[in-house]
Amino acid sequence: MKARAHSDQCHHPGPALDPAGKEKLLGRLRRIEGQARGIHRMIEEDRYCADILVQISAVQESLRSAAQVLLQGHLRKCVAEAVRSDDSARTEKVFEELTELLGRYGR
Amino acid sequence: MKARAHSDQCHHPGPALDPAGKEKLLGRLRRIEGQARGIHRMIEEDRYCADILVQISAVQESLRSAAQVLLQGHLRKCVAEAVRSDDSARTEKVFEELTELLGRYGR
Amino acid sequence: MKARAHSDQCHHPGPALDPAGKEKLLGRLRRIEGQARGIHRMIEEDRYCADILVQISAVQESLRSAAQVLLQGHLRKCVAEAVRSDDSARTEKVFEELTELLGRYGR
Amino acid sequence: MKARAHSDQCHHPGPALDPAGKEKLLGRLRRIEGQARGIHRMIEEDRYCADILVQISAVQESLRSAAQVLLQGHLRKCVAEAVRSDDSARTEKVFEELTELLGRYGR
């Protein structure tokens, strides 16, 4: 995993999320971590597989929401910033990344 | 979350996963928990949002694989068992659950 | 595309859909065909791409519903029938097909 | 369905697709229409439901590709254009539409 800080990439002051948005997202992630541990335990305890599947689908829903929040921030901050920069190499790079992301998230 | 043990529901000896399959699935869950913690940390460190999105998509992929393994076991054991039981109320219940699960997982 | 009639495969009288269910599904398909023609026309007329994307997403939703109807019928008829047959080669074949289908439709 | 021409919305000369891209997309749509008619026929002929499900999933894949092409064009042309316009109401409108689209297409 590449360790790019947000600001290196985006050349704009501050991250794509304001402090409140970041705190909220961290809260979501804590909940997701708890859900993952819960599923681990359900498997250990040989719980009914249909119930485990419902829980997995709940984590996926939580991840989808988190991804939507990040993607919106990414578009409104990083992508918009790159477009406004009139630096065509930078803009192209951001759009290529976005193509790859939308391929991953698209259905 | 309802605490149904696997055997209560399925009326067949043993879980839908054999011991090796269960161990493998627990390994996947451990990795998913690690991935979720990694994403938490990336958000805390204000890492580049496109990189975080790639990681979220990797967890989603891991969860999809885990769900596929469980769903296959569920169909081959629990659903097949219910069908063979010739207990029409039980069969109906299992198919209703399955409809709900496929609605959650279908695209 | 393999031309297997339903009855060849399933060894049970009648298709997985009753006549009313079949008629309803054909109605859905007619609507989907109309939606696809509508999208074709929107592209020809250089309509706003965000509006075209909304329409594509509507067709996908229609296809998902149609697939859910068929999948339910498939599980309740073909899969259940194979399980009840106690023909293990046939059951295995149906479950392998199902694995492939759920891989396609799973998310 | 609102009948907005592309140029009304986007205030930039020409559509989000160049003529070659448009022709290619129309070709895809023709193929999708053919696939939809094929599925209609398969249902009429009581073909094996697992085979019909494979075909439905193929249409879904074709639509996903078409949507990706349009979404890329939309981002690179319409969204970028709105951002560059420095018209904050217009930019906001485009991002709100995008949020809704990504909600529809996200997984």
Side-chain angles (χ1 to χ4, degrees):
Chain A
M1 206 182 339
K2 295 147 295 177
R4 288 186 283 177
H6 196 273
S7 50
D8 291 345
Q9 183 66 24
C10 283
H11 308 287
H12 64 75
L17 290 166
D18 57 25
K22 181 177 166 179
E23 211 38 69
K24 204 172 153 194
L25 194 60
L26 286 171
R28 279 170 193 261
L29 258 294
R30 265 189 294 274
R31 196 161 56 249
I32 288 167
E33 290 168 66
Q35 286 174 308
R37 282 192 301 269
I39 292 165
H40 189 126
R41 207 161 36 235
M42 290 175 87
I43 297 166
E44 274 184 337
E45 295 169 357
D46 294 325
R47 294 274 289 281
Y48 181 42
C49 35
D51 290 343
I52 303 177
L53 282 163
V54 169
Q55 292 306 307
I56 292 182
S57 133
V59 187
Q60 284 176 318
E61 194 51 45
S62 303
L63 286 165
R64 261 193 290 281
S65 303
Q68 283 286 324
V69 168
L70 276 165
L71 192 51
Q72 294 300 331
H74 182 58
L75 288 164
R76 282 165 183 270
K77 294 262 177 137
C78 314
V79 176
E81 181 85 4
V83 167
R84 267 187 219 106
S85 73
D86 276 323
D87 172 342
S88 69
R90 178 178 164 199
T91 305
E92 189 46 38
K93 190 168 175 330
V94 161
F95 275 118
E96 273 169 23
E97 276 177 5
L98 199 54
T99 301
E100 206 244 316
L101 283 177
L102 295 174
R104 285 172 181 271
Y105 283 98
R107 65 170 183 189
Chain B
M1 206 183 342
K2 297 148 293 180
R4 289 186 283 176
H6 196 275
S7 50
D8 292 344
Q9 182 68 22
C10 282
H11 309 287
H12 64 76
L17 291 166
D18 58 25
K22 180 178 166 178
E23 209 41 67
K24 205 173 150 193
L25 194 60
L26 285 171
R28 279 171 192 262
L29 259 293
R30 264 189 295 275
R31 199 162 53 250
I32 289 166
E33 291 168 65
Q35 287 174 307
R37 281 192 302 270
I39 292 166
H40 189 126
R41 204 160 38 235
M42 289 176 86
I43 297 167
E44 274 184 335
E45 295 169 358
D46 293 327
R47 295 274 289 282
Y48 182 42
C49 36
D51 290 344
I52 304 178
L53 282 162
V54 169
Q55 293 306 308
I56 292 183
S57 135
V59 187
Q60 284 177 317
E61 193 52 46
S62 302
L63 286 165
R64 263 194 288 282
S65 302
Q68 283 286 324
V69 169
L70 276 165
L71 191 52
Q72 294 300 329
H74 182 59
L75 288 164
R76 282 167 183 269
K77 293 263 176 136
C78 314
V79 176
E81 181 85 3
V83 167
R84 269 189 217 103
S85 74
D86 277 324
D87 173 342
S88 68
R90 177 178 163 200
T91 306
E92 189 47 38
K93 187 167 179 332
V94 162
F95 275 117
E96 274 169 22
E97 276 177 4
L98 200 54
T99 301
E100 206 243 316
L101 282 177
L102 295 174
R104 284 172 181 273
Y105 283 99
R107 67 168 179 193
Chain C
M1 205 184 338
K2 296 148 294 176
R4 290 185 282 178
H6 197 275
S7 50
D8 291 346
Q9 182 68 23
C10 281
H11 309 287
H12 66 76
L17 291 167
D18 57 26
K22 181 177 167 177
E23 211 39 67
K24 204 173 151 194
L25 194 60
L26 286 171
R28 280 171 192 261
L29 258 295
R30 263 187 297 274
R31 197 163 54 249
I32 288 166
E33 290 168 68
Q35 287 174 308
R37 281 192 302 270
I39 292 166
H40 189 127
R41 205 161 37 236
M42 289 176 87
I43 296 166
E44 274 184 336
E45 295 169 358
D46 294 325
R47 294 274 289 282
Y48 182 41
C49 34
D51 290 344
I52 303 178
L53 281 163
V54 169
Q55 292 306 306
I56 292 182
S57 135
V59 187
Q60 283 177 318
E61 194 51 46
S62 303
L63 286 166
R64 263 194 289 280
S65 301
Q68 282 286 325
V69 168
L70 275 165
L71 192 52
Q72 294 301 330
H74 182 58
L75 287 164
R76 283 165 183 269
K77 293 264 176 135
C78 313
V79 177
E81 182 84 6
V83 168
R84 267 187 219 104
S85 74
D86 276 324
D87 173 343
S88 67
R90 178 179 164 200
T91 306
E92 189 47 37
K93 191 171 174 327
V94 161
F95 275 118
E96 273 169 21
E97 276 177 3
L98 199 54
T99 300
E100 205 243 318
L101 282 177
L102 295 174
R104 283 172 181 273
Y105 283 99
R107 69 171 178 188
Chain D
M1 206 180 344
K2 297 148 293 178
R4 289 185 283 177
H6 197 275
S7 50
D8 293 345
Q9 183 67 23
C10 283
H11 308 287
H12 64 76
L17 292 166
D18 57 24
K22 180 176 167 178
E23 210 39 69
K24 205 173 150 194
L25 194 60
L26 285 171
R28 279 171 193 262
L29 259 295
R30 265 189 294 276
R31 198 162 55 248
I32 289 167
E33 290 168 66
Q35 287 174 307
R37 282 192 301 272
I39 292 166
H40 189 126
R41 204 160 41 236
M42 289 176 87
I43 297 167
E44 274 183 337
E45 294 169 359
D46 294 326
R47 295 275 289 283
Y48 182 40
C49 36
D51 290 344
I52 303 176
L53 281 163
V54 169
Q55 293 306 307
I56 291 182
S57 134
V59 187
Q60 286 176 316
E61 194 51 46
S62 303
L63 285 165
R64 261 192 289 282
S65 302
Q68 283 285 324
V69 169
L70 276 165
L71 191 52
Q72 293 300 330
H74 182 58
L75 288 164
R76 281 164 183 270
K77 294 263 177 138
C78 315
V79 176
E81 181 85 4
V83 167
R84 267 190 219 103
S85 74
D86 277 323
D87 173 343
S88 68
R90 178 178 164 200
T91 306
E92 189 47 37
K93 189 169 176 329
V94 161
F95 275 117
E96 273 169 22
E97 276 177 6
L98 199 54
T99 301
E100 206 242 317
L101 282 178
L102 295 174
R104 284 172 181 272
Y105 284 99
R107 70 169 177 192

